[in-house]
Structures are given as C-alpha cells and as structure tokens.
C-alpha cells in the first residue's frame, strides 16, 4: 500500500524568506502523480502543484517549485519569497494513473506560518 | 462556474445519532470523493463515487456510507455517531478518466462540513 509522510507538522518563517516542506512516499509503482495541496485557514483546499513521475523535470508554478527525487521517493515543495497569504496547511498527496486506483492518498499535512 | 458546495457547514450531534452531509459538485464533474480531516490523522479518504457507483472505499467502518445521484450530487451518512467522528468532512469533485478530460488528481474541494459530536 502506498503511504505519504510529511515529517514537519508545523513550520514558521519570516515573510520574503524561502521555505521547503518535506514529503516522502512509498510505492512499488513506477508511474504515478504527486501533488501539493494548500488549505488556507477557513478556506477551501486548492491544488498548488503537480508532478508526473515519468517527467524528470521538476514542476514549477510561479513562486512554488518542487524537488522530485524519484529514487529517494522524495517530493519537497519550495516556496520562494514567501508571502503572508502562503500561511496555510500544506498536504502532499500521491495518486496512481487512470484506471488503476483513482483515490488520492494524502500526508498528514504541514502547518506553515508566514510571519510579518 | 459555481464551485463545490457542501451543506450544512456546521452541525452538532450527540452520540448515537446519525447525520447526512450533502455535496454538490462542479457542473460536469462526475466524480465525487469524501475525506475526513482531523488534527491527528490529517486527511483520510472515505469513498469515491463516479456515475452513481462507488469505485473506491477507504478503511472506515460500515457506519460510514454514501451515495451519488444521477445529477452527480452526493451524500454521505454516518450512523450511530461516536465522539471520534468529530471532524471536518470534505468533499471534492473532479473530471475523472482519460475520456472525460481533466488531469489526474485535480480535485476541487468544498469548504467542508464541520461535525461536532457531543
């Protein structure tokens, strides 16, 4: 069974700093998808970034980027120039491709505080 | 386009009662999945429905059940409530499958239904 582990329950950084959230996963699959979802306080969860395992290039979305290490089964999220609006719970998630098992497995989350 | 709508947003029940939560997906989305969020366990998958059929189920007791209607709206029911069922219940919809478009894992979440069991 696949598992997703986020080893940092809570983090705090100063505004404008760069922060990295860690995520490791365990799977025997060779093809899969990894995600970071963001849940702001009292607001809806939204997709931040997605990575296909067959792509070697790390995904980037504006200030958000990932460091995907397939052999190490590591998928960290880097937030550059952090902003107050980045304060949220961040969930790392894993999914196998279409037709295999469409459920997404989430880690327990990292609560990130951006301090002014 | 309207987002995912969950009702009710907040509710308080007592042990032994039952509760029904509702989720209206984004128009055109045929997959609806449910998650239980608690501080200790994070997000745990409950079940997923696609075209009125339950396709996947998480490791929850039979007290947790759900269904999906022909218009893709979904409900989940928890019977014989226990204190440990207190949680935020999230619903998410998605376009699922290569023939229906969308990218894998692109879930659109509702704001959740916060259940407190006393």
């Amino acid at each position: 069974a696949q598992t997703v582990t986020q080893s940092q329950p809570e983090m705090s950084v100063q505004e404008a700093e760069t922060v990295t959230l860690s995520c490791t996963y365990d799977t025997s699959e060779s093809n899969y998808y990894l995600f970071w979802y963001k849940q702001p306080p009292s607001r809806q969860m939204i997709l931040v970034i997605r990575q296909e395992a067959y792509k070697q290039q790390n995904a980037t979305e504006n200030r958000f980027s990932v460091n995907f290490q397939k052999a190490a089964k590591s998928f960290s999220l880097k937030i550059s120039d952090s902003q107050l609006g980045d304060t949220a719970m961040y969930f790392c998630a894993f999914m196998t491709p279409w037709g295999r098992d469409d459920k997404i497995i989430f880690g327990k989350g990292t609560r990130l505080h951006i301090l002014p | 386009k309207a987002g995912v709508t969950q009702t009710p947003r907040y509710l308080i029940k007592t042990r032994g009662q039952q509760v029904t939560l509702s989720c209206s997906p984004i128009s055109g989305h045929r997959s609806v999945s449910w998650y239980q969020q608690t501080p200790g366990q994070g997000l745990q998958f409950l079940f997923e429905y696609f075209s009125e059929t339950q396709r996947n189920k998480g490791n929850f007791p039979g007290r947790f059940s759900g269904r999906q209607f022909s218009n893709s709206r979904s409900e989940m029911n928890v019977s014989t409530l226990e204190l440990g069922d207190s949680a935020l219940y999230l619903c998410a919809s998605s376009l699922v499958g290569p023939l229906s478009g969308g990218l894998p894992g692109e879930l659109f979440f509702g704001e959740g239904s916060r259940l407190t069991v006393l």
Side-chain angles (χ1 to χ4, degrees):
Chain A
Q2 293 91 352
T3 58
V4 177
T5 302
Q6 294 179 248
S7 59
Q8 306 148 310
E10 197 159 359
M11 300 179 69
S12 296
V13 296
Q14 295 293 138
E15 191 177 9
E17 289 185 347
T18 293
V19 60
T20 299
L21 281 60
S22 301
C23 174
T24 58
Y25 59 94
D26 188 26
T27 184
S28 57
E29 301 286 344
S30 59
N31 191 21
Y32 47 86
Y33 299 89
L34 295 162
F35 314 88
W36 280 98
Y37 276 85
K38 169 185 177 182
Q39 186 181 41
S42 301
R43 291 177 59 188
Q44 288 159 298
M45 183 131 55
I46 58 173
L47 178 65
V48 174
I49 200 165
R50 170 193 14 245
Q51 175 81 42
E52 290 91 337
Y54 62 87
K55 290 187 178 179
Q56 292 186 331
Q57 185 173 7
N58 289 324
T60 299
E61 289 287 343
N62 301 313
R63 298 183 295 107
F64 297 86
S65 61
V66 298
N67 183 2
F68 174 47
Q69 302 289 328
K70 191 172 184 179
K73 296 180 181 174
S74 170
F75 183 62
S76 60
L77 175 69
K78 185 172 83 171
I79 305 174
S80 303
D81 185 26
S82 58
Q83 301 174 358
L84 297 179
D86 296 332
T87 291
M89 180 76 90
Y90 288 82
F91 292 95
C92 177
F94 170 99
M95 178 182 177
T96 50
W98 300 124
R100 295 291 299 278
D101 187 357
D102 288 334
K103 65 182 179 184
I104 295 180
I105 300 170
F106 289 86
K108 292 189 177 182
T110 295
R111 188 174 299 280
L112 177 64
H113 302 275
I114 307 299
L115 307 173
Chain B
K1 193 179 252 191
V4 177
T5 304
Q6 290 188 247
T7 56
R9 291 288 314 282
Y10 302 90
L11 63 166
I12 299 174
K13 294 285 187 178
T14 57
R15 281 182 298 175
Q17 287 186 310
Q18 73 157 13
V19 65
T20 299
L21 309 177
S22 178
C23 173
S24 294
I26 290 173
S27 177
H29 286 193
R30 296 167 65 189
S31 170
V32 173
S33 50
W34 289 88
Y35 303 83
Q36 182 193 65
Q37 184 178 5
T38 57
Q41 297 300 318
L43 266 172
Q44 291 187 286
F45 171 79
L46 280 157
F47 27 65
E48 186 247 352
Y49 288 87
F50 181 80
S51 293
E52 302 179 65
T53 300
Q54 186 183 88
R55 297 199 305 175
N56 283 297
K57 190 177 190 306
N59 296 322
F60 279 82
R63 300 185 297 106
F64 292 81
S65 63
R67 59 177 175 169
Q68 186 180 33
F69 302 96
S70 57
N71 62 357
S72 293
R73 190 177 71 85
S74 178
E75 289 182 346
M76 69 162 282
N77 182 278
V78 188
S79 62
T80 320
L81 284 166
E82 300 177 0
L83 295 179
D85 297 335
S86 293
L88 179 66
Y89 290 88
L90 293 172
C91 162
S93 74
S94 66
L95 288 166
V96 178
L99 298 181
S100 53
L103 295 172
E106 190 167 14
L107 298 177
F108 296 84
F109 284 86
E111 292 181 297
S113 293
R114 185 165 295 281
L115 170 65
T116 301
V117 181
L118 302 177

